[in-house]
Amino acid sequence: MKRAKIQYDNQTYAVTVNDDMSVNLPDSRVLAENDVTWLPPAEGNMYALGLNYADHATELAFASAPTEPLVFIKSKGSYVGHNGHSWRPDDIHYMHYECELAVVIGKQAKNIKKEDAWDYVDGFTLCNDYAIRDYLENYYRPNLRVKNRDSMTVVGPYIMDKEDVADAMNLGLKTWVNEELRQEGNTKDMIFDVPFLIEYLSSFMTLQPGDMIATGCPKGTSDVKAGDTVVIEVEGVGRLVNFMLSEKDFFNR
């Protein structure tokens, strides 16, 4: 099952999503994808992985992959949903997308072992974790100006139940910019897989229902400009669409 949150006619609804991306309201009405406003399907904290694919680390000229997860937190104010708008600041030179599988936590998790980790997963969604490279002082500790601007963490469109994903650790990842394929990889190439990450994070903090783990991206990042349409895809989970605006257009909508 695919579960989403949408706005329609000034009301917020929890809905199920059909294969054609139409949604089923609780009163049995069916609405088309473009007739609703898509909200982030989960609203907890997001724990995002840096350099969790060896080829991406190589792309960024690292001599070796990390030996421990590099994790940073994304603020809830940075989330935006499917078919939403992000923006490119006027004063920057390089901003790129990141196609990521995001794991949604289903129940409180503390001191969880790898072999039990999947029991704490509610499902999966997609995350396009934009980064502004101009302000990156340290790949191991990206500062707020790089990763936490309004509407620059694209999440959705829905949560896919974990039972409907055959093997989360073997899913293709793709990004298109204006219909040009620019990024491609597979979750099997993660340095730290999902069970490891849940064990690691829950060893020193408590994960809560609705929290998300954005698991990193493969190589293939490139600059995006105002006017671009960016689509990411996780095989067997879905596609997430985002439209890039200029700073002026975003704040004067």
Side-chain angles (χ1 to χ4, degrees):
M1 183 183 293
K2 305 168 187 173
R3 295 168 281 125
K5 294 179 182 178
I6 59 101
Q7 283 185 341
Y8 176 72
D9 198 20
N10 296 318
Q11 298 291 323
T12 299
Y13 297 95
V15 299
T16 57
V17 182
N18 302 309
D19 289 342
D20 64 356
M21 291 295 292
S22 63
V23 302
N24 306 305
L25 295 185
D27 62 7
S28 299
R29 284 181 292 170
V30 178
L31 301 175
E33 174 184 0
N34 292 327
D35 289 340
V36 305
T37 298
W38 295 79
L39 304 176
E43 297 177 333
N45 296 318
M46 179 179 285
Y47 304 97
L49 271 291
L51 306 179
N52 197 30
Y53 286 75
D55 60 358
H56 183 49
T58 301
E59 177 181 40
L60 299 176
F62 278 77
S64 61
T67 57
E68 182 176 347
L70 308 178
V71 187
F72 54 94
I73 296 178
K74 304 281 287 184
S75 66
K76 300 175 187 179
S78 70
Y79 302 165
V80 66
H82 172 61
N83 280 343
H85 294 87
S86 297
W87 56 286
R88 181 186 172 96
D90 292 337
D91 61 345
I92 60 118
H93 294 93
Y94 193 80
M95 175 178 175
H96 64 77
Y97 49 79
E98 293 183 5
C99 175
E100 307 193 19
L101 174 70
V103 180
V104 183
I105 299 299
K107 59 184 179 180
Q108 190 176 88
K110 184 71 171 75
N111 293 323
I112 306 305
K113 298 303 181 184
K114 287 187 292 185
E115 54 268 27
D116 300 319
W118 291 116
D119 294 338
Y120 293 81
V121 173
D122 180 28
F124 303 95
T125 190
L126 289 78
C127 176
N128 181 357
D129 182 16
Y130 284 117
I132 298 174
R133 195 76 66 81
D134 299 50
Y135 299 111
L136 187 61
E137 298 168 357
N138 186 330
Y139 284 104
Y140 294 89
R141 191 176 57 203
N143 66 41
L144 293 176
R145 292 190 297 174
V146 176
K147 288 285 189 176
N148 275 282
R149 296 177 183 237
D150 294 350
S151 297
M152 288 196 186
T153 306
V154 195
V155 186
Y158 43 71
I159 298 171
M160 172 79 80
D161 289 350
K162 66 179 177 182
E163 293 81 8
D164 294 329
V165 178
D167 183 2
M169 299 317 306
N170 188 16
L171 302 175
L173 306 169
K174 293 181 179 179
T175 301
W176 290 267
V177 179
N178 303 326
E179 300 184 349
E180 175 190 354
L181 181 63
R182 293 195 186 178
Q183 185 176 41
E184 190 167 8
N186 192 290
T187 60
K188 67 183 179 182
D189 296 323
M190 287 184 197
I191 298 169
F192 305 105
D193 64 15
V194 170
F196 182 96
L197 293 171
I198 291 175
E199 179 179 85
Y200 174 80
L201 290 167
S202 71
S203 70
F204 58 84
M205 64 184 301
T206 302
L207 300 175
Q208 301 291 347
D211 284 351
M212 293 172 280
I213 303 173
T215 55
C217 77
K219 70 177 181 179
T221 56
S222 66
D223 194 25
V224 291
K225 306 289 187 182
D228 285 348
T229 298
V230 182
V231 179
I232 69 169
E233 178 180 283
V234 177
E235 178 187 8
V237 180
R239 301 171 81 249
L240 178 62
V241 179
N242 179 250
F243 303 103
M244 186 62 58
L245 298 178
S246 69
E247 182 172 347
K248 178 182 177 180
D249 288 343
F250 181 84
F251 287 103
N252 287 284
R253 288 179 298 167

